[in-house]
Amino acid sequence: MGLFVRRIKKFFGFDKEKNLKYVLVPDRGDTVSMKYICQHVALSSGVNLGMVQVVSYALVEAMKAFIQQGHAVQLDNFGKFIPTFSAKSSEVESEVNLKSVRSMRLRFSPCTELQKIVREIELVFNAKDSTQDMKAADQEEEQEPPTEPENPDVV
């Protein structure tokens, strides 16, 4: 099936010309919930749904505990979750302290197998949901050209 993409017109604030430009964006499906993932795992593994849910939620709780302590969490065949932050820099040493931290983040680094799957996703261009000027061009193509009479002398 693949990942549907469409063309939009977008303003890029970092662009020197400050012009609207065309860019491809993904048309993602709905977010798959933990409940649905657990149902899928239960069906494919033969393990009771309740047991899959308990183990999944226990895994998340264990991850939270280790991440709160500053540890990265590595899950085989899945990836690594790494707590990180962004902070202001300064030429003055004393100005670099805990107050210079702007935001905390959790970075995910997928395993090699997941990276390969992402690289191999087929992209499918969705012209119908693209920009208005694309729709206008499609409509012009769909219109029949005016027909010429077979005998030019007859009006």
Side-chain angles (χ1 to χ4, degrees):
M1 181 179 202
L3 173 64
F4 286 96
V5 297
R6 61 189 168 90
R7 179 176 32 236
I8 65 168
K9 215 171 190 181
K10 183 176 181 179
F11 173 75
F12 291 93
F14 58 83
D15 189 21
K16 292 178 184 174
E17 290 91 35
K18 307 286 186 207
N19 294 331
L20 287 170
K21 293 187 178 180
Y22 293 99
V23 64
L24 286 181
V25 294
D27 276 339
R28 292 185 190 93
D30 295 334
T31 299
V32 179
S33 70
M34 182 70 142
K35 178 181 176 181
Y36 183 76
I37 293 289
C38 287
Q39 289 172 348
H40 188 80
V41 169
L43 286 172
S44 62
S45 69
V47 175
N48 176 304
L49 175 60
M51 186 62 69
V52 171
Q53 289 174 330
V54 167
V55 170
S56 298
Y57 289 111
L59 172 67
V60 171
E61 289 301 315
M63 288 175 63
K64 287 174 15 183
F66 285 110
I67 289 168
Q68 284 176 333
Q69 296 171 18
H71 298 284
V73 175
Q74 171 77 44
L75 300 178
D76 294 341
N77 299 322
F78 192 60
K80 187 186 281 189
F81 295 86
I82 307 153
T84 185
F85 60 87
S86 65
K88 294 183 241 173
S89 61
S90 175
E91 293 180 2
V92 179
E93 181 180 0
S94 62
E95 290 178 2
V96 178
N97 53 42
L98 294 178
K99 292 180 182 177
S100 61
V101 174
R102 291 184 185 145
S103 64
M104 297 292 296
R105 294 193 175 101
L106 186 62
R107 184 170 53 107
F108 175 66
S109 178
C111 70
T112 305
E113 184 179 357
L114 286 178
Q115 289 176 1
K116 182 181 178 201
I117 288 170
V118 169
R119 283 193 303 270
E120 294 174 355
I121 292 175
E122 177 188 358
L123 298 178
V124 180
F125 185 70
N126 184 354
K128 290 187 178 182
D129 287 336
S130 286
T131 57
Q132 291 297 327
D133 48 346
M134 183 64 191
K135 290 177 186 175
D138 287 345
Q139 289 171 355
E140 288 174 10
E141 288 176 13
E142 290 175 6
Q143 292 177 353
E144 296 279 329
T147 57
E148 299 271 336
E150 289 181 24
N151 186 348
D153 295 334
V154 178
V155 182

